[in-house]
Amino acid sequence: MKIQKNVSLQPYNSFGLEATARYFVSLDSVATIQELLETKSYAAVPRIILGGGSNILLTKNIDGIVLKNDLKGIDVVEELADHWLVKAGAGENWHAFVLHALNKGWAGVENLSLIPGSVGAGPMQNIGAYGVELKDVFHSLEGVNLQTGEVEVFDKAACRFGYRESVFKRGLKDRYIITAVTLKLNKKPDLNTSYGAIEAELERLKIDKTSIKAISQAVINIRQRKLPDPAKIGNSGSFFKNPVVARSQFEELRSRFPDMVAYPVSETEVKLAAGWLIDRAGWKGRTFDHCGVHKKQALVLVNYGGAKGQHIYDLSEKILISVQEKFGVLLEREVNVL
């Protein structure tokens, strides 16, 4: 185990923001994690767990130790009649894992193509896109308890999944390092093309027979048209969650804004499109202090180069206030602010 000092975190966050970690260590095995926890000189140092860096906003230097999750490996741990149980190291790149699954014929994650970040962040965020959430294919995960050093297993119920939520973002935040995730992937695909523009994109591609690879390619094409590439323009993907409101509030809003974009959640609740709200509040495409709101997708805040994390945070705060004043809806940030 090698612990580095005064390490730049710019290469480790998709916004490309400059910040320095007082200490930094790459963790590539459970044994390395346990070794670190037994090192008394770092026992009282504040810890920050870092995966793919695609869902964080760094507003300051980290006066503590950054634990970079680099655990790798993809293995079938069990084959059953209708599905495989596939375990992946938490440090694997999520999209690379999806492509690996497609090549193996493992179905269930094709709609989650091109989501940035690591496998370990998947259950933490309950990532989702185009009608599918990670919880739909989730079986279990393993994590090291940072107090005891022991490996514990969490099933779906224990993770308490919600919309872009899990127990690891709330009650157990910063108390575990997720080391591996096991997914239940189907042998017979249950193709989901009903959400968003997937069907239209499949028609544009002139796909005669829908497959998991075809759906993945459609999702990739749609996302690439709508979202900026973090390698070219710093961003964290969707910065805000789509808010869920009571149906009565939605009906009142729709009476004033007939073209409001929304999706039913239940008989009593409706999910509003945060991007539509931000766009209608006048923020789409605007630029401030080297950062701004992306011109094609108002959900995405971007670093055009040279922005500080505090600039992006301040912009997000202005957007929150503006949307609440115009629509009476309080947005919530999806990213973790450090």
Side-chain angles (χ1 to χ4, degrees):
M1 178 182 67
K2 181 181 179 182
I3 297 178
Q4 304 175 65
K5 295 182 179 180
N6 300 318
V7 174
S8 170
L9 297 177
Q10 190 171 32
Y12 300 107
N13 73 97
S14 60
F15 264 117
L17 298 167
E18 182 54 70
T20 300
R22 182 182 176 189
Y23 303 109
F24 182 95
V25 60
S26 172
L27 303 173
D28 59 3
S29 69
V30 170
T32 305
I33 298 172
Q34 293 169 333
E35 180 186 354
L36 174 68
L37 297 178
E38 292 171 359
T39 306
K40 293 182 179 179
S41 57
Y42 295 98
V45 177
R47 305 183 185 111
I48 298 295
I49 302 167
L50 183 63
S54 62
N55 201 51
I56 60 170
L57 178 66
L58 296 170
T59 61
K60 59 186 177 182
N61 293 331
I62 304 300
D63 187 22
I65 184 167
V66 170
L67 312 180
K68 179 68 171 67
N69 194 328
D70 283 325
L71 283 90
K72 300 295 175 64
I74 302 173
D75 299 288
V76 174
V77 294
E78 188 174 358
E79 180 178 356
L80 300 173
D82 299 321
H83 60 266
W84 293 275
L85 294 183
V86 180
K87 180 189 287 190
E92 291 283 354
N93 175 273
W94 173 259
H95 183 58
F97 171 76
V98 171
L99 296 180
H100 182 80
L102 295 174
N103 287 332
K104 291 288 188 178
W106 304 336
V109 291
E110 54 275 3
N111 291 57
L112 304 178
S113 297
L114 211 63
I115 293 178
S118 64
V119 166
M124 184 176 293
Q125 295 288 124
N126 186 25
I127 57 174
Y130 298 98
V132 174
E133 291 183 319
L134 186 85
K135 68 178 179 63
D136 300 330
V137 295
F138 181 84
H139 178 267
S140 62
L141 65 79
E142 298 169 13
V144 174
N145 186 316
L146 293 176
Q147 293 296 319
T148 67
E150 295 181 355
V151 177
E152 299 179 22
V153 178
F154 293 78
D155 62 12
K156 184 184 292 189
C159 290
R160 300 180 193 173
F161 290 123
Y163 172 58
R164 303 298 178 268
E165 287 287 353
S166 76
V167 70
F168 300 101
K169 286 189 69 177
R170 300 294 182 182
L172 298 183
K173 185 176 181 180
D174 297 329
R175 290 172 58 183
Y176 288 82
I177 293 181
I178 296 173
T179 56
V181 179
T182 300
L183 302 181
K184 183 178 177 180
L185 301 180
N186 298 322
K187 293 183 176 182
K188 182 179 179 181
D190 182 15
L191 302 176
N192 186 340
T193 63
S194 61
Y195 195 96
I198 292 179
E199 290 184 352
E201 182 63 20
L202 290 172
E203 290 182 9
R204 192 186 74 82
L205 293 172
K206 298 181 179 179
I207 300 294
D208 295 327
K209 185 177 181 180
T210 305
S211 66
I212 57 175
K213 286 189 175 183
I215 290 175
S216 173
Q217 190 59 58
V219 169
I220 290 170
N221 290 356
I222 295 166
R223 290 181 69 91
Q224 286 180 333
R225 286 199 297 268
K226 291 171 57 178
L227 303 173
D229 182 351
K232 298 177 181 177
I233 303 175
N235 73 92
S236 66
S238 298
F239 196 92
F240 302 96
K241 297 180 182 180
N242 290 320
V244 176
V245 302
R247 184 169 290 275
S248 58
Q249 183 179 4
F250 166 66
E251 295 295 349
E252 188 277 329
L253 285 168
R254 189 169 61 174
S255 69
R256 293 188 288 132
F257 307 97
D259 60 338
M260 174 173 279
V261 178
Y263 311 94
V265 174
S266 66
E267 292 183 1
T268 59
E269 292 183 318
V270 176
K271 183 187 296 182
L272 307 182
W276 185 93
L277 297 172
I278 297 166
D279 185 1
R280 284 305 182 93
W283 292 97
K284 189 174 182 179
R286 296 180 65 181
T287 303
F288 312 86
D289 295 325
H290 308 291
C291 65
V293 182
H294 193 250
K295 61 183 180 181
K296 292 184 178 180
Q297 174 52 268
L299 265 183
V300 179
L301 304 189
V302 294
N303 174 14
Y304 287 114
K308 296 184 181 298
Q310 191 63 46
H311 292 152
I312 297 172
Y313 180 85
D314 292 344
L315 172 58
S316 73
E317 189 68 16
K318 292 176 182 177
I319 292 171
L320 290 176
I321 294 170
S322 174
V323 168
Q324 187 171 28
E325 289 177 346
K326 186 175 181 67
F327 301 103
V329 175
L330 180 61
L331 295 181
E332 184 178 351
R333 297 175 184 89
E334 189 170 324
V335 301
N336 296 305
V337 179
L338 300 177

